[in-house]
Amino acid sequence: MTTTTEAPATEANESSDHAHEHPSDLLYVKVALFLAVLTALEVSTYFLNDASTTVLVLILFPMMIIKFVTVIMYFMHLKYDNPLFKRVFIFGLGLATVVFLITLTAFDFWSSEYLRFLR
Amino acid sequence: MTDAAVHVPVVADHGHATSTGISNAKLAMWVYLGSDCLLFGSLISTYLLLRHRGVQGPTPTEVFDIPFTSVSSFVLLMSSLTMALAVASIVRGDVHRNRIWLGTTAMLGAVFIGGQVYEFTTFYREGLGYTTSIFGSAFYTLTGFHGIHVSIGIVMLMSLLVMSLRGNLGPERAETVEIIGLYWHFVDIVWIVIFTIVYLIP
């Protein structure tokens, strides 16, 4: 493992204090409770028998994204850590999202398969 | 929530400088996690494209047991909390609590994998084999790959626990625990996406 001892005064080094900051245990518990409540809300949509796929997507996707970002920011320390880690991960995540949205479009997902089930 | 953060000095493992001023090992893990997004992105896209194609075998709504999978999801989510507490405890130098949280995380991961094995067995008995339908192939491939990731995570957590019991995992190796923690949280966020897209949206 390599960590900083004599790094040059770069942007990364200036923010090295962030890399050494860790949330308190109490904050971790609060974050976990928040995630548990969101999960319970997600699961409750299972009992909405009459809800269309469109409604479920509109309800569930924002909750999924909030949970995803919360885990990354707090449990994975991206909120406190060096910005370079955030950029590296967002690049991979963004690339995957763009590539596979294009793939789904190329395979006519939105116009036939998906929209058929929205109706 | 920022005011709840505490400033904890990080102890270098080997203490040599890097050109970026940050840990190479940690950066490598983030690069790996970024690339793993592409793997799971491809598997999720494939599942979305194929799940309603083909007419043979049970359909997703016929086989999925949402209450059961919800409990499994909750268990994996809570394992992220115990992993975060494991990292926090080793950074503070609390080796005893670190062992407890590492063991708890591995146990919760094992419960999740046990649930997945039970789920796969049930689906198979209900007529959904790997080659029964294109939905079955896409579903087992996606969730199976995730299960393999969780299993590798459990092995790494158990290795850390053994290192700790042998006295080789003190505060000076906090970064090792943090890097394995990053991997563990990643399998959790992947499941957050799979649970919503595969199970909750019919």
Side-chain angles (χ1 to χ4, degrees):
Chain A
M1 306 295 156
T2 55
T3 50
T4 312
T5 52
E6 297 170 12
T10 59
E11 181 193 347
N13 197 30
E14 282 164 11
S15 59
S16 61
D17 273 352
H18 293 286
H20 298 179
E21 238 174 54
H22 286 260
S24 65
D25 287 1
L26 181 62
L27 181 61
Y28 283 137
V29 174
K30 284 180 183 173
V31 169
L33 284 173
F34 174 67
L35 292 170
V37 169
L38 274 183
T39 305
L41 287 172
E42 279 182 331
V43 174
S44 68
T45 62
Y46 169 67
F47 300 99
L48 299 174
N49 295 322
D50 298 330
S52 69
T53 304
T54 313
V55 171
L56 287 177
V57 167
L58 290 174
I59 294 172
L60 291 170
F61 261 68
M63 285 198 279
M64 178 188 81
I65 292 166
I66 291 169
K67 283 171 69 180
F68 190 95
V69 172
T70 304
V71 171
I72 291 172
M73 297 306 274
Y74 290 97
F75 286 161
M76 296 173 88
H77 300 161
L78 270 193
K79 184 179 167 67
Y80 309 97
D81 226 326
N82 193 292
L84 182 62
F85 299 138
K86 195 185 295 179
R87 286 173 200 155
V88 166
F89 185 68
I90 287 174
F91 177 76
L93 184 64
L95 183 65
T97 306
V98 170
V99 166
F100 296 111
L101 282 178
I102 292 169
T103 306
L104 291 173
T105 307
F107 279 89
D108 211 19
F109 179 75
W110 313 111
S111 58
S112 58
E113 188 72 14
Y114 182 67
L115 295 179
R116 185 161 63 84
F117 283 92
L118 287 183
R119 286 195 286 270
Chain B
M1 287 195 189
T2 313
D3 57 341
V6 289
H7 188 83
V8 180
V10 169
V11 183
D13 276 12
H14 297 137
H16 53 83
T18 63
S19 59
T20 54
I22 54 176
S23 159
N24 282 340
K26 203 167 161 184
L27 182 61
M29 177 52 85
W30 276 111
V31 170
Y32 164 71
L33 297 181
S35 66
D36 225 16
C37 288
L38 285 158
L39 170 71
F40 281 105
S42 67
L43 293 173
I44 290 169
S45 300
T46 306
Y47 175 82
L48 286 172
L49 283 168
L50 302 180
R51 68 173 168 178
H52 291 302
R53 297 196 178 167
V55 289
Q56 65 277 53
T59 62
T61 45
E62 285 170 355
V63 290
F64 287 163
D65 182 355
I66 301 299
F68 178 81
T69 313
S70 302
V71 173
S72 292
S73 303
F74 185 76
V75 166
L76 194 62
L77 199 62
M78 288 305 106
S79 76
S80 259
L81 169 65
T82 56
M83 187 70 235
L85 293 173
V87 174
S89 58
I90 197 67
V91 168
R92 282 196 305 266
D94 190 342
V95 175
H96 178 67
R97 282 200 181 175
N98 176 250
R99 285 175 192 161
I100 292 172
W101 292 128
L102 285 176
T104 308
T105 308
M107 190 192 71
L108 290 172
V111 169
F112 176 83
I113 289 296
Q116 197 169 43
V117 169
Y118 172 78
E119 186 183 50
F120 283 8
T121 310
T122 307
F123 290 176
Y124 185 77
R125 284 183 185 153
E126 289 175 8
L128 185 70
Y130 187 74
T131 54
T132 304
S133 65
I134 205 154
F135 153 66
S137 304
F139 171 79
Y140 284 123
T141 304
L142 170 59
T143 54
F145 258 99
H146 179 266
I148 290 168
H149 275 70
V150 176
S151 303
I152 292 169
I154 293 169
V155 170
M156 290 196 288
L157 288 169
M158 294 308 291
S159 303
L160 285 180
L161 197 56
V162 170
M163 280 172 66
S164 180
L165 291 170
R166 288 181 175 175
N168 297 327
L169 192 69
E172 73 283 355
R173 304 293 296 270
E175 192 187 75
T176 308
V177 181
E178 189 178 354
I179 288 169
I180 290 176
L182 289 176
Y183 176 87
W184 190 261
H185 296 308
F186 179 76
V187 298
D188 183 31
I189 58 173
V190 168
W191 187 255
I192 286 172
V193 176
I194 291 175
F195 181 57
T196 302
I197 291 179
V198 173
Y199 289 89
L200 293 179
I201 297 175

